[in-house]
């Protein structure tokens, strides 16, 4: 893998240096402990002159990391901010993935490069410090580098890709445009299993080639990994897949469990059981604590009540390829469209509703309500989205542990 993983005194010195930021110095001892209980579950990797922890956090030191820490304190204590904003830059994709969350979305009239560049500038004003370019398959856009280059240093850019037809020349162009953290989709250590899940032949070889190319150009490379119940039932095969990622030399893994959205909206049988989640927690801790293994950000781990919970619409925002503003990539509801209203206005209205983080994945919680609307395309319009959120709020009676420890002040209508 690229860079040097930090352990022991080297890690401690780095953490102490990072904690000297003015935003952190204002925290109480209890709040500092809250941040440490989360941070200790991430690896530190020094690559060139920066330290990376995962693909949800900008590398340190950087302007983007400074902004991240400032927003981190704000959202921890009760002020919504779209710390992470993902843009679907295209609806087109060569794959037909079994778990595709973009399925059934209206795919006509994608945002132009100029519209995307304006939206990127607008979310900067809202405090965004991580911007992901996703799809569809972003590499299908010939102007992807132009869009990527429009992301200023105030935000760290990510690229989510299957690796489709990637060449060394394109990797270098993406790097020149500012990319440092590519995220490549790969779900198994065999071509047969991975390609079956992607619905066509070829994605396994694309992904492995992309990882090789990104690594050779010195980038911090992550794998986006969606394990099935079948894979997690076979512990040996699951951990062999993680070892395969290690041997490929990736720095990081984003483990996303099947979410009831898109193709899986009416497939509750795909939701992982407690025994599967326990295996994921075991893998999370093993990867974090074992030198040589890639880091892991498992959604079932960090989005649990024990850590951050679900921040859809609170510290996270997704804009699809037609400009619909959604709480996250997986929540099939829209609170407005950037072609009709300023994104700041839509975010303000959405965050006034999603004013408190929840303890479980909101997209999965409302899957039945979304399916009952029987809409020909997703996301649902604002009227249906508002009605569902009113009947089924995104928050719970209690807060995720991080926010409790940070002294979160519940806001929004009827808040305290």
């Amino acid at each position: 893998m690229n860079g040097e993983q930090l352990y022991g005194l080297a890690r401690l010195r780095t953490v102490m240096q990072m904690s000297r930021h003015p935003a952190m110095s204002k925290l109480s001892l209890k709040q500092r402990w809250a941040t440490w209980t989360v941070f200790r579950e991430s690896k530190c990797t020094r690559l060139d002159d920066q330290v990376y922890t995962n693909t949800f956090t900008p590398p340190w030191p950087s302007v983007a990391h400074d902004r991240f820490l400032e927003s981190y304190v704000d959202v921890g204590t009760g002020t919504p901010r779209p710390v992470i904003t993902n843009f679907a830059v295209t609806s087109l994709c060569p794959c037909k993935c079994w778990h595709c969350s973009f399925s059934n979305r209206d795919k006509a009239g994608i945002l132009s490069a100029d519209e995307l560049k304006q939206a990127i500038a607008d979310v900067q004003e809202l405090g965004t410090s991580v911007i992901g370019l996703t799809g569809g398959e972003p590499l299908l856009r010939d102007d992807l580098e132009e869009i990527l280059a429009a992301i200023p240093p105030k935000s760290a850019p990510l690229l989510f890709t299957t690796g489709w037809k990637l060449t060394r020349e394109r990797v270098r162009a993406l790097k020149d445009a500012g990319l440092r953290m590519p995220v490549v989709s790969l779900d198994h250590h065999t071509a047969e299993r991975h390609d079956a899940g992607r619905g066509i032949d070829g994605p396994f070889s694309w992904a492995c080639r992309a990882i090789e190319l990104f690594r050779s150009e010195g980038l911090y490379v992550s794998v986006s990994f969606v394990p099935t119940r079948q894979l997690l039932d076979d512990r040996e095969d699951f951990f062999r897949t993680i070892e395969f990622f290690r041997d490929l030399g990736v720095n990081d893994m984003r483990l996303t469990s099947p979410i009831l959205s898109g193709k899986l909206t009416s497939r509750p049988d795909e939701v992982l059981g407690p025994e599967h989640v326990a295996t994921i927690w075991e893998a999370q801790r093993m990867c974090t604590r074992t030198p040589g293994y890639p880091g892991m950000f498992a959604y079932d781990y960090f989005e649990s009540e024990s850590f951050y919970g679900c921040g859809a619409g609170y510290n996270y925002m997704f804009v699809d390829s037609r400009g619909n503003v959604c709480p996250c990539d997986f929540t099939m509801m829209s609170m407005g469209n950037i072609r009709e209203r300023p994104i700041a206005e839509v975010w303000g209205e959405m965050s006034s509703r999603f004013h408190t983080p929840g303890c479980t994945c909101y997209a999965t919680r409302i899957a039945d309500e979304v399916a009952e609307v029987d809409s020909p395309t997703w996301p649902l319009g604002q009227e249906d989205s508002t009605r569902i959120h009113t009947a089924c709020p995104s928050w719970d009676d209690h807060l995720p542990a991080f926010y409790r420890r940070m002294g979160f002040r519940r806001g929004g209508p009827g808040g305290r």
Side-chain angles (χ1 to χ4, degrees):
M1 66 182 62
N2 289 332
E4 174 196 5
Q5 293 180 343
L6 304 181
Y7 285 91
L9 289 176
R11 177 185 168 94
L12 180 60
R13 283 195 298 269
T14 300
V15 172
M16 291 179 66
Q17 289 174 328
M18 295 169 72
S19 67
R20 291 173 186 161
H21 188 276
M24 302 296 287
S25 65
K26 297 176 183 178
L27 298 181
S28 67
L29 289 177
K30 182 178 180 180
Q31 289 172 321
R32 285 174 179 249
W33 175 248
T35 64
W36 170 245
T37 57
V38 175
F39 184 76
R40 69 183 178 186
E41 300 301 327
S42 297
K43 282 199 164 177
C44 287
T45 300
R46 185 176 297 282
L47 178 56
D48 296 328
D49 57 351
Q50 292 181 305
V51 174
Y52 294 75
T53 52
N54 53 54
T55 57
F56 291 82
T57 308
W60 172 87
S62 67
V63 175
H65 192 271
D66 290 346
R67 280 165 53 88
F68 176 84
L69 288 181
E70 291 162 2
S71 295
Y72 182 83
V73 173
D74 285 345
V75 300
T77 53
T79 301
R81 291 200 189 285
V83 181
I84 299 174
T85 299
N86 280 355
F87 291 93
V89 298
T90 182
S91 59
L92 301 177
C93 185
C95 297
K96 303 173 182 176
C97 302
W98 67 279
H99 59 274
C100 180
S101 63
F102 215 83
S103 176
N104 281 22
R105 284 184 182 260
D106 191 336
K107 297 177 172 59
I110 67 171
L111 296 170
S112 68
D114 286 342
E115 287 175 312
L116 283 163
K117 287 190 281 187
Q118 182 60 58
I120 288 168
D122 291 342
V123 299
Q124 296 297 302
E125 299 302 316
L126 297 173
T128 294
S129 57
V130 178
I131 292 179
L133 303 184
T134 182
E137 171 50 69
L139 292 176
L140 287 165
R141 283 195 73 135
D142 294 335
D143 57 0
L144 178 60
E145 288 82 356
E146 177 185 350
I147 298 165
L148 188 60
I151 300 174
K154 292 188 291 185
S155 290
L158 304 180
L159 175 66
F160 297 89
T161 179
T162 63
W164 180 81
K165 293 188 177 181
L166 193 63
T167 63
R168 184 170 300 279
E169 292 71 26
R170 188 109 202 244
V171 169
R172 287 175 175 170
L174 293 167
K175 182 179 180 181
D176 289 344
L179 181 65
R180 294 296 179 271
M181 294 190 288
V183 183
V184 182
S185 297
L186 188 56
D187 294 332
H188 199 259
H189 61 84
T190 68
E192 179 184 7
R193 288 279 291 275
H194 178 72
D195 288 359
R198 300 290 157 165
I200 59 171
D201 293 332
F204 181 83
S205 62
W206 306 345
C208 292
R209 174 64 173 162
I211 290 168
E212 177 188 350
L213 289 171
F214 283 132
R215 281 191 61 238
S216 68
E217 294 299 323
L219 303 185
Y220 181 89
V221 186
S222 180
V223 159
S224 178
F225 175 30
V226 185
T228 62
R229 293 173 65 99
Q230 176 189 5
L231 179 59
L232 286 161
D233 283 336
D234 187 340
R235 283 176 51 87
E236 182 179 348
D237 203 33
F238 172 69
F239 283 99
R240 184 179 175 188
T241 299
I242 292 176
E243 290 167 359
F244 173 68
F245 296 156
R246 177 200 62 192
D247 295 343
L248 284 177
V250 302
N251 291 96
D252 188 74
M253 296 176 288
R254 294 168 66 111
L255 193 153
T256 309
S257 298
I259 294 173
L260 299 188
S261 99
K263 284 186 178 179
L264 300 186
T265 298
S266 299
R267 294 288 305 276
D269 54 304
E270 298 289 355
V271 175
L272 302 183
E275 69 280 11
H276 304 122
V277 174
T279 299
I280 289 172
W281 279 50
E282 179 184 345
Q284 167 76 42
R285 288 168 171 156
M286 180 199 75
C287 288
T288 301
R289 289 158 175 72
T290 308
Y293 276 81
M296 179 183 286
F297 189 105
Y299 280 63
D300 277 302
Y301 193 75
F302 285 103
E303 291 197 349
S304 70
E305 183 181 346
S306 300
F307 289 93
Y308 286 123
C310 176
Y314 177 73
N315 58 25
Y316 194 96
M317 176 167 56
F318 174 63
V319 181
D320 75 11
S321 59
R322 298 186 69 246
N324 293 302
V325 180
C326 312
C328 77
D329 307 46
F330 305 100
T331 307
M332 297 291 114
M333 54 170 56
S334 171
M335 302 307 294
N337 191 290
I338 65 173
R339 284 172 164 162
E340 299 168 359
R341 291 193 289 159
I343 196 168
E345 181 180 320
V346 181
W347 166 257
E349 184 174 328
M350 181 166 68
S351 61
S352 71
R353 287 189 162 275
F354 290 77
H355 52 73
T356 302
C359 291
T360 57
C361 172
Y362 189 58
T364 291
R365 283 175 56 189
I366 62 169
D368 289 344
E369 287 77 7
V370 170
E372 284 177 4
V373 178
D374 195 26
S375 175
T377 59
W378 288 326
L380 301 179
Q382 187 174 356
E383 182 178 346
D384 283 324
S385 299
T386 300
R387 176 181 55 78
I388 289 175
H389 189 269
T390 299
C392 183
S394 50
W395 62 89
D396 305 88
D397 291 335
H398 47 290
L399 288 165
F402 169 73
Y403 294 97
R404 292 199 307 270
R405 292 167 178 155
M406 285 292 289
F408 181 92
R409 295 180 296 276
R410 193 182 296 265
R416 61 179 185 274

